[in-house]
Amino acid sequence: MLQRLLADRVRLPHALMVHGPAGIGKTEFARALAAGALCESPRDGLACESCPSCHWFSQGNHPDYREVVPEAAMEDDEPPEVESAKAEKARSLVIKIDQIRAVADFMALSTHRAGYRVLVVNPAESMHPAAANSLLKTLEEPPAGSLIVMVSDRIARLLPTIRSRCRLLALPMPAQAQALAWLEAEGIARPQAALAGAGGAPLLARELAQPEEAELRRRLLQELSKPSGADVLTFASTVERTAIERIVYWMQTWIHDLVQMRLAGSARHHVEFLPALQSRARDADLHALLALDRDLVEARRLASHPLNPRLVAEHLLMAYNRATSAARP
Ligand SMILES: [Zn+2]
């Protein structure tokens, strides 16, 4: 797909929206696309990995390339312990208007290497509405030689005006055998379980297999497995703002498993918790589970905005306890 897109450079659109499920490699695709467009001696359209342009790109300092991500997602060189907890909390989960204004100026300049000027916005749905409106101006009148690549796994959350100005490019979920082979090559333990937990998306599976992520999942699922219900206050008191989105994700997949267990006697995501799923599904109220699923969709929508993470976790876990206590006195 990448090759086909790059084969005919003159017909590359000014703006592309790369979208699809989380964790299937959209960021890597967007970067490979950028590298290919910037390369000075492309091979079949793809980056040659040996010209000056490719060298700068791999070093992360190509003068005609910018990537815009929320502050909280920025890779920094400081070891995490140097940073105070307060600074960590203050890092934004949204892309701010100042960030977009800065790159709009960059896009308006002429290129250093007389080729493309490439901007990647990732994830596009994390743009603050004011930032999205600001980017709209650049999308409406793209400077010559500009390529804007947006990356999104929740395309429905984007302003329609943004979406309509991009060529949409849906990346498919990779085949299971291919994904498992890749996870094995990455050294992920129990690749089958990891891939199932991530709903088939290999990069998400690798991310979720990291020790810190695996520990959060283990602690949460342990709570959700308890026949007496989750220990709401104790668990919620440990929840950080950056963990909310993940907690919501694990709860959603857990609820989906419970619903599937009730309706079909099987599970998809958390197969290694089968006995707990069976017992919780037995005690659960199906309608309450579906209502909680709707709450979780809403919580996920709000997870990137400032809020009180502990209250959110408390609310969700209490709703979970109510939904799964139908058989309790
Ligand atoms: Zn090159």
Side-chain angles (χ1 to χ4, degrees):
M1 193 184 295
L2 190 58
Q3 219 160 349
R4 226 182 315 137
L5 202 60
L6 283 166
D8 197 358
R9 285 176 182 235
V10 284
R11 284 209 218 129
L12 258 184
H14 287 296
L16 265 164
M17 177 74 67
V18 177
H19 66 104
I24 58 168
K26 296 188 299 298
T27 302
E28 290 68 16
F29 182 90
R31 286 186 185 145
L33 178 62
L38 291 166
C39 175
E40 287 162 21
S41 55
R43 290 187 195 139
D44 301 324
L46 300 179
C48 72
E49 288 171 21
S50 57
C51 72
S53 174
C54 285
H55 182 69
W56 287 324
F57 194 88
S58 69
Q59 298 293 306
N61 53 16
H62 197 294
D64 292 323
Y65 179 68
R66 291 285 188 285
E67 219 169 278
V68 180
V69 299
E71 269 173 30
M74 279 178 195
E75 294 160 15
D76 50 45
D77 304 327
E78 300 269 291
E81 58 267 26
V82 171
E83 223 171 303
S84 73
K86 204 176 165 201
E88 182 60 44
K89 263 195 195 126
R91 298 175 110 202
S92 177
L93 295 168
V94 300
I95 294 175
K96 297 174 180 164
I97 186 166
D98 294 346
Q99 292 177 274
I100 294 295
R101 281 197 185 127
V103 290
D105 291 345
F106 154 79
M107 293 302 278
L109 296 170
S110 61
T111 71
H112 289 260
R113 306 286 295 182
Y116 271 102
R117 201 167 260 283
V118 186
L119 169 65
V120 169
V121 180
N122 186 14
E125 67 270 16
S126 71
M127 278 189 288
H128 186 277
N133 272 316
S134 173
L135 183 64
L136 208 51
K137 292 190 198 107
T138 309
L139 287 173
E140 276 163 355
E141 290 167 40
S146 60
L147 172 63
I148 300 176
V149 186
M150 311 241 234
V151 179
S152 173
D153 47 48
R154 269 166 278 167
I155 197 173
R157 279 175 48 185
L158 287 160
L159 290 178
T161 42
I162 293 272
R163 243 181 331 186
S164 66
R165 281 172 179 80
C166 300
R167 190 204 283 180
L168 299 183
L169 191 69
L171 286 202
M173 190 72 94
Q176 197 191 18
Q178 204 183 343
L180 285 174
W182 182 80
L183 285 171
E184 239 161 78
E186 289 285 305
I188 301 299
R190 301 187 304 121
Q192 204 114 28
L195 193 63
L203 277 91
L204 180 62
R206 182 180 62 176
E207 199 183 318
L208 298 179
Q210 301 310 309
E212 204 176 301
E213 296 277 2
E215 172 63 15
L216 175 66
R217 171 175 181 261
R218 193 193 56 76
R219 282 204 302 125
L220 177 63
L221 297 193
Q222 207 167 38
E223 290 299 324
L224 301 182
S225 298
K226 286 180 181 167
S228 55
D231 186 346
V232 176
L233 295 178
T234 309
F235 185 85
S237 71
T238 67
V239 170
E240 297 295 335
R241 189 169 64 121
T242 45
I244 271 290
E245 193 158 11
R246 199 63 91 208
I247 287 171
V248 170
Y249 174 79
W250 290 128
M251 283 190 76
Q252 271 184 315
T253 49
W254 182 264
I255 299 298
H256 291 171
D257 274 356
L258 287 181
V259 171
Q260 189 177 332
M261 187 60 77
R262 272 294 283 267
L263 299 177
S266 62
R268 172 175 177 220
H269 298 281
H270 305 289
V271 279
E272 73 275 36
F273 282 79
L274 222 46
L277 282 170
Q278 279 161 343
S279 116
R280 300 324 306 127
R282 227 177 0 250
D283 293 345
D285 176 82
L286 194 55
H287 290 286
L289 285 182
L290 296 173
L292 176 56
D293 186 45
R294 286 192 294 275
D295 276 1
L296 286 163
V297 171
E298 179 67 9
R300 192 163 175 212
R301 201 175 64 74
L302 297 172
S304 56
H305 296 286
L307 38 74
N308 185 330
R310 283 165 202 182
L311 281 182
V312 175
E314 276 177 33
H315 164 79
L316 293 173
L317 287 171
M318 281 194 282
Y320 173 79
N321 283 353
R322 280 196 303 273
T324 55
S325 64
R328 280 205 299 277

